[in-house]
Amino acid sequence: MKKQVLNNVYWVGKMDWELEEFHGSEFSVHHGSSQNAYLVKEEKTVLIDTVWTPHKEEFVKNLKSEIDLKEIDYIVLNHGEPDHSGSLPEIMEEIPDTPIYCTNNGKKSLIGQYHHPEWDYRTVKTGDSIDIGNGKSLVFVEMTMLHWPDSMATYMTGDNILFSNDAFGQHYALNELFNDQADQTILWNEAMKYYANILTPFSAFASKKIKEIVGMNLPIDIIAPSHGSIWRENTLEIVNKYAQWADSYKEDQVTIIYDSMWGATQKIAHKIAEDIRELSPSTRTKVLSVVDADRNDIMTEVFKSKAIALGSPTVGRSAITTVSGWLHFLQELKFKDKVAGVFGSYGWSGEGNKVLREELTKAGFEVIDDELKAMWMPDDEFLANTKEFSKALLDASSLDK
Ligand code: FEO
């Protein structure tokens, strides 16, 4: 059912409480999510985005309970991924002549997915606008690579609302809609997890775009993203956070990540955490099993960290596959300005550390020369001599550098 955002602007999306994963199984969802679509009812009626395909019938039914679909003058499609465009074919079956405003890449995405080249696409660029009456207009802002080539935001003058699509979103279901009514811990954790796992590779674009939007001097009272809470209190706090997050973000944290076959590598992992606590009590340490911890939560911890230590036993002259797979994901995210150290155990040949070092270097980490490598189970003598490694990791990742 619709909920008022402000004046004649309504939320008409899907509160997806049951969602457990997103982008296939790429992104874990712990607190539900939402696909936010908006209905603007000025002199012109505009639908901004739709919801994911599995919810298309519910979406259209709810929309019809509010308006006759024929009253929709324009559809704005900020982004072609199916979580926002999935109900478009259902709508277009009933109002096939309605103009669809999107970027040129958005048009390609929609045609590629739904095979309707005959729809009335109106492709737009940054600064293009449509008059919606009552002295208000919708101004389009290309958000290229945030996070797809076709991404776009739409700014509504008069009510000063930025419909930002994926940017500033979170996978978080909340019936109350607004950030001031949200559980603040979940809200900020989810906003950071979303940035860390989806937007980090595009940080250079994010920095540039934030400067561009700030430079446009648009009054922004509300940011209405396509997932999660709508920002209406301290609205620009999330924009400032994005500016920080896009700028090689790190806290005084070291995260130790490992997998272990028989507990030897695990033992080293916990000893590194102890050493760091002794050497630098103010530094937060976290020890995470790459198997037992949620992979996206691990990435959020990496995002916060100034350094990581990564451990694996040597298996088949390489790292264990759980760690190798995780490293592939790490490489996709293109973290910047972070330090890493490697450790592991082995029984005979011991190539694990070398492989971790190579892969972490490919992931963009500065890998320290020191490493910890134990044959069989680390004994007391081994464990008494691990501090040099932790000291080197701390020295290389000092926030004062
Ligand atoms: Fe929420 Fe990129 O789709």
Side-chain angles (χ1 to χ4, degrees):
M1 286 299 132
K2 77 174 184 187
K3 298 175 185 186
Q4 189 182 31
V5 176
L6 182 73
N7 300 330
N8 300 321
V9 178
Y10 300 91
W11 178 93
V12 290
K14 166 70 182 175
M15 203 54 71
D16 207 344
W17 289 96
E18 284 77 21
L19 195 72
E20 291 184 333
E21 53 186 23
F22 185 78
H23 278 162
S25 298
E26 277 287 285
F27 193 103
S28 60
V29 175
H30 302 320
H31 303 285
S33 186
S34 64
Q35 297 117 48
N36 298 337
Y38 300 95
L39 189 65
V40 179
K41 295 173 79 175
E42 299 293 347
E43 284 173 45
K44 298 290 185 187
T45 299
V46 186
L47 176 66
I48 300 181
D49 294 327
T50 74
V51 307
W52 189 26
T53 325
H55 310 303
K56 63 184 182 184
E57 279 148 22
E58 179 188 342
F59 174 70
V60 172
K61 184 167 164 256
N62 285 344
L63 207 52
K64 281 181 172 173
S65 72
E66 302 300 337
I67 51 162
D68 181 340
L69 292 188
K70 292 190 175 55
E71 290 171 35
I72 297 175
D73 295 291
Y74 313 124
I75 296 172
V76 171
L77 237 294
N78 281 321
H79 176 30
E81 266 200 292
D83 50 330
H84 309 301
S85 67
S87 301
L88 189 61
E90 197 87 347
I91 302 253
M92 294 304 281
E93 271 193 22
E94 305 214 23
I95 47 170
D97 299 327
T98 309
I100 300 168
Y101 289 81
C102 59
T103 61
N104 195 39
N105 280 323
K107 176 180 172 181
K108 288 182 197 165
S109 166
L110 295 174
I111 292 176
Q113 293 183 86
Y114 304 116
H115 313 293
H116 283 287
E118 78 284 4
W119 288 347
D120 183 7
Y121 302 96
R122 310 274 175 99
T123 58
V124 293
K125 293 192 167 74
T126 295
D128 290 347
S129 64
I130 48 174
D131 190 340
I132 54 172
N134 297 329
K136 299 174 185 178
S137 59
L138 296 177
V139 184
F140 304 109
V141 182
E142 288 167 279
M143 300 283 276
T144 314
M145 299 319 292
L146 290 173
H147 64 128
W148 276 64
D150 72 300
S151 298
M152 162 175 107
T154 298
Y155 176 74
M156 181 174 170
T157 67
D159 286 356
N160 304 339
I161 302 175
L162 182 69
F163 298 96
S164 59
N165 197 259
D166 286 330
F168 312 121
Q170 333 89 49
H171 285 301
Y172 174 26
L174 75 166
N175 277 334
E176 301 77 19
L177 280 189
F178 298 101
N179 68 316
D180 48 293
Q181 296 176 300
D183 178 321
Q184 298 300 303
T185 306
I186 298 176
L187 173 67
W188 285 104
N189 281 346
E190 290 300 331
M192 182 182 270
K193 179 181 173 185
Y194 192 96
Y195 189 95
N197 283 272
I198 294 179
L199 293 173
T200 299
F202 310 112
S203 283
F205 296 100
S207 289
K208 203 166 150 229
K209 187 52 67 175
I210 287 166
K211 282 185 193 127
E212 184 188 318
I213 291 174
V214 170
M216 289 166 100
N217 284 322
L218 302 168
I220 298 175
D221 294 334
I222 289 179
I223 295 178
S226 57
H227 299 288
S229 142
I230 295 170
W231 306 89
R232 72 173 176 188
E233 193 174 275
N234 296 326
T235 305
L236 294 184
E237 191 179 2
I238 185 65
V239 179
N240 293 332
K241 283 282 181 203
Y242 263 49
Q244 287 174 26
W245 293 344
D247 187 18
S248 303
Y249 184 74
K250 56 191 158 186
E251 299 174 13
D252 188 5
Q253 174 171 326
V254 176
T255 305
I256 298 126
I257 302 151
Y258 74 95
D259 193 11
S260 196
M261 289 173 77
W262 298 106
T265 303
Q266 182 185 36
K267 208 167 193 173
I268 306 170
H270 286 282
K271 183 59 170 51
I272 295 168
E274 260 179 51
D275 289 345
I276 290 172
R277 272 194 292 276
E278 258 185 70
L279 291 163
S280 177
S282 59
T283 299
R284 189 190 310 125
T285 56
K286 295 193 181 178
V287 182
L288 299 171
S289 152
V290 83
V291 176
D292 297 330
D294 177 282
R295 66 201 288 272
N296 302 106
D297 291 343
I298 297 175
M299 285 310 174
T300 311
E301 296 304 332
V302 173
F303 179 70
K304 285 191 273 187
S305 298
K306 60 182 182 178
I308 65 168
L310 182 64
S312 168
T314 294
V315 183
R317 307 187 76 177
S318 186
I320 196 164
T321 54
T322 46
V323 174
S324 304
W326 182 83
L327 274 163
H328 189 82
F329 184 24
L330 187 75
Q331 287 167 1
E332 285 174 18
L333 293 183
K334 297 184 169 59
F335 288 110
K336 294 237 169 4
D337 201 19
K338 292 187 191 290
V339 172
V342 300
F343 63 96
S345 59
Y346 67 105
W348 63 98
S349 54
E351 294 89 345
N353 278 8
K354 180 172 166 284
V355 172
L356 297 186
R357 184 178 291 284
E358 286 166 2
E359 297 303 314
L360 282 165
T361 304
K362 278 190 220 161
F365 284 69
E366 176 196 336
V367 186
I368 59 169
D369 292 336
D370 290 62
E371 60 179 38
L372 292 173
K373 188 170 170 182
M375 193 168 191
W376 310 117
M377 188 62 72
D379 59 12
D380 289 347
E381 190 189 345
F382 180 94
L383 295 172
N385 289 290
T386 53
K387 262 198 194 146
E388 276 306 307
F389 169 82
S390 298
K391 186 172 181 315
L393 196 61
L394 286 168
D395 287 347
S397 60
S398 166
L399 295 177
D400 300 327
K401 271 205 309 179

mmCIF file of all heavy atoms in Angstrom, residues 22-23 79 81 83-84 147-148 165-166 194 226-227, ligand 1:
data_model
loop_
_atom_site.group_PDB
_atom_site.id
_atom_site.type_symbol
_atom_site.label_atom_id
_atom_site.label_comp_id
_atom_site.label_asym_id
_atom_site.label_seq_id
_atom_site.Cartn_x
_atom_site.Cartn_y
_atom_site.Cartn_z
ATOM 1 N N PHE A 22 20.640 -11.559 -2.313
ATOM 2 C CA PHE A 22 20.408 -10.584 -3.382
ATOM 3 C C PHE A 22 21.516 -10.722 -4.411
ATOM 4 O O PHE A 22 22.614 -11.157 -4.079
ATOM 5 C CB PHE A 22 20.409 -9.184 -2.751
ATOM 6 C CG PHE A 22 20.058 -8.093 -3.708
ATOM 7 C CD1 PHE A 22 18.741 -7.873 -4.075
ATOM 8 C CD2 PHE A 22 21.048 -7.304 -4.264
ATOM 9 C CE1 PHE A 22 18.421 -6.870 -4.976
ATOM 10 C CE2 PHE A 22 20.736 -6.303 -5.164
ATOM 11 C CZ PHE A 22 19.413 -6.091 -5.513
ATOM 12 N N HIS A 23 21.260 -10.292 -5.654
ATOM 13 C CA HIS A 23 22.218 -10.517 -6.748
ATOM 14 C C HIS A 23 22.535 -12.010 -6.800
ATOM 15 O O HIS A 23 23.698 -12.410 -6.656
ATOM 16 C CB HIS A 23 23.517 -9.722 -6.533
ATOM 17 C CG HIS A 23 23.435 -8.284 -6.967
ATOM 18 N ND1 HIS A 23 24.321 -7.326 -6.548
ATOM 19 C CD2 HIS A 23 22.585 -7.651 -7.802
ATOM 20 C CE1 HIS A 23 24.027 -6.163 -7.079
ATOM 21 N NE2 HIS A 23 22.968 -6.334 -7.860
ATOM 22 N N HIS A 79 17.136 2.864 -13.426
ATOM 23 C CA HIS A 79 18.146 1.798 -13.528
ATOM 24 C C HIS A 79 17.458 0.524 -14.010
ATOM 25 O O HIS A 79 16.360 0.204 -13.553
ATOM 26 C CB HIS A 79 18.764 1.624 -12.137
ATOM 27 C CG HIS A 79 19.753 0.533 -11.986
ATOM 28 N ND1 HIS A 79 20.580 0.085 -12.997
ATOM 29 C CD2 HIS A 79 20.079 -0.213 -10.898
ATOM 30 C CE1 HIS A 79 21.361 -0.871 -12.530
ATOM 31 N NE2 HIS A 79 21.067 -1.090 -11.264
ATOM 32 N N GLU A 81 18.338 -2.773 -13.754
ATOM 33 C CA GLU A 81 18.402 -4.094 -13.093
ATOM 34 C C GLU A 81 16.989 -4.523 -12.697
ATOM 35 O O GLU A 81 16.139 -3.689 -12.345
ATOM 36 C CB GLU A 81 19.314 -4.034 -11.853
ATOM 37 C CG GLU A 81 20.741 -4.457 -12.163
ATOM 38 C CD GLU A 81 21.532 -4.880 -10.922
ATOM 39 O OE1 GLU A 81 21.818 -4.007 -10.077
ATOM 40 O OE2 GLU A 81 21.867 -6.082 -10.805
ATOM 41 N N ASP A 83 15.516 -5.666 -10.202
ATOM 42 C CA ASP A 83 14.876 -5.285 -8.931
ATOM 43 C C ASP A 83 14.142 -3.956 -9.063
ATOM 44 O O ASP A 83 13.279 -3.639 -8.231
ATOM 45 C CB ASP A 83 15.880 -5.260 -7.766
ATOM 46 C CG ASP A 83 17.150 -4.483 -8.054
ATOM 47 O OD1 ASP A 83 17.555 -4.429 -9.227
ATOM 48 O OD2 ASP A 83 17.735 -3.938 -7.105
ATOM 49 N N HIS A 84 14.442 -3.193 -10.119
ATOM 50 C CA HIS A 84 13.733 -1.924 -10.327
ATOM 51 C C HIS A 84 12.898 -1.892 -11.608
ATOM 52 O O HIS A 84 11.966 -1.114 -11.715
ATOM 53 C CB HIS A 84 14.736 -0.763 -10.326
ATOM 54 C CG HIS A 84 15.628 -0.807 -9.131
ATOM 55 N ND1 HIS A 84 15.122 -0.758 -7.850
ATOM 56 C CD2 HIS A 84 16.963 -0.985 -9.000
ATOM 57 C CE1 HIS A 84 16.120 -0.893 -6.980
ATOM 58 N NE2 HIS A 84 17.243 -1.033 -7.660
ATOM 59 N N HIS A 147 25.655 1.946 -9.725
ATOM 60 C CA HIS A 147 26.796 1.079 -9.918
ATOM 61 C C HIS A 147 26.795 0.392 -11.281
ATOM 62 O O HIS A 147 27.596 -0.533 -11.509
ATOM 63 C CB HIS A 147 26.833 0.017 -8.796
ATOM 64 C CG HIS A 147 25.628 -0.918 -8.836
ATOM 65 N ND1 HIS A 147 25.769 -2.283 -8.848
ATOM 66 C CD2 HIS A 147 24.315 -0.700 -8.912
ATOM 67 C CE1 HIS A 147 24.591 -2.879 -8.889
ATOM 68 N NE2 HIS A 147 23.694 -1.930 -8.922
ATOM 69 N N TRP A 148 25.958 0.822 -12.206
ATOM 70 C CA TRP A 148 25.928 0.270 -13.566
ATOM 71 C C TRP A 148 26.095 1.412 -14.567
ATOM 72 O O TRP A 148 25.838 2.566 -14.242
ATOM 73 C CB TRP A 148 24.573 -0.422 -13.827
ATOM 74 C CG TRP A 148 24.471 -1.838 -13.350
ATOM 75 C CD1 TRP A 148 24.539 -2.253 -12.045
ATOM 76 C CD2 TRP A 148 24.263 -3.017 -14.136
ATOM 77 N NE1 TRP A 148 24.381 -3.616 -11.985
ATOM 78 C CE2 TRP A 148 24.209 -4.114 -13.251
ATOM 79 C CE3 TRP A 148 24.119 -3.246 -15.501
ATOM 80 C CZ2 TRP A 148 24.018 -5.420 -13.694
ATOM 81 C CZ3 TRP A 148 23.920 -4.545 -15.938
ATOM 82 C CH2 TRP A 148 23.880 -5.627 -15.047
ATOM 83 N N ASN A 165 18.091 6.174 -6.562
ATOM 84 C CA ASN A 165 18.182 4.776 -6.959
ATOM 85 C C ASN A 165 19.133 4.033 -6.011
ATOM 86 O O ASN A 165 19.057 4.190 -4.802
ATOM 87 C CB ASN A 165 18.564 4.634 -8.430
ATOM 88 C CG ASN A 165 18.244 3.225 -8.927
ATOM 89 O OD1 ASN A 165 19.120 2.396 -9.038
ATOM 90 N ND2 ASN A 165 16.976 2.933 -9.166
ATOM 91 N N ASP A 166 20.056 3.204 -6.526
ATOM 92 C CA ASP A 166 20.854 2.353 -5.625
ATOM 93 C C ASP A 166 21.767 3.164 -4.682
ATOM 94 O O ASP A 166 22.021 2.730 -3.555
ATOM 95 C CB ASP A 166 21.727 1.394 -6.440
ATOM 96 C CG ASP A 166 20.916 0.255 -7.053
ATOM 97 O OD1 ASP A 166 19.901 -0.147 -6.462
ATOM 98 O OD2 ASP A 166 21.313 -0.240 -8.121
ATOM 99 N N TYR A 194 26.395 -2.221 2.248
ATOM 100 C CA TYR A 194 25.985 -1.994 0.853
ATOM 101 C C TYR A 194 27.123 -1.302 0.096
ATOM 102 O O TYR A 194 27.512 -1.712 -1.005
ATOM 103 C CB TYR A 194 24.720 -1.129 0.839
ATOM 104 C CG TYR A 194 24.032 -1.059 -0.491
ATOM 105 C CD1 TYR A 194 22.964 -1.898 -0.791
ATOM 106 C CD2 TYR A 194 24.433 -0.145 -1.462
ATOM 107 C CE1 TYR A 194 22.332 -1.836 -2.016
ATOM 108 C CE2 TYR A 194 23.801 -0.084 -2.694
ATOM 109 C CZ TYR A 194 22.752 -0.923 -2.962
ATOM 110 O OH TYR A 194 22.118 -0.864 -4.182
ATOM 111 N N SER A 226 16.469 3.513 -3.766
ATOM 112 C CA SER A 226 15.614 2.428 -4.247
ATOM 113 C C SER A 226 15.636 1.204 -3.332
ATOM 114 O O SER A 226 14.982 0.205 -3.613
ATOM 115 C CB SER A 226 16.037 2.029 -5.662
ATOM 116 O OG SER A 226 17.401 1.665 -5.660
ATOM 117 N N HIS A 227 16.429 1.269 -2.267
ATOM 118 C CA HIS A 227 16.429 0.191 -1.267
ATOM 119 C C HIS A 227 16.528 0.818 0.117
ATOM 120 O O HIS A 227 17.355 1.712 0.338
ATOM 121 C CB HIS A 227 17.632 -0.736 -1.428
ATOM 122 C CG HIS A 227 17.709 -1.435 -2.750
ATOM 123 N ND1 HIS A 227 16.860 -2.457 -3.109
ATOM 124 C CD2 HIS A 227 18.551 -1.266 -3.802
ATOM 125 C CE1 HIS A 227 17.182 -2.876 -4.323
ATOM 126 N NE2 HIS A 227 18.187 -2.162 -4.772
HETATM 127 FE FE1 FEO B 1 19.018 -2.186 -6.897
HETATM 128 FE FE2 FEO B 1 21.461 -2.133 -9.212
HETATM 129 O O1 FEO B 1 19.811 -2.616 -8.542
#
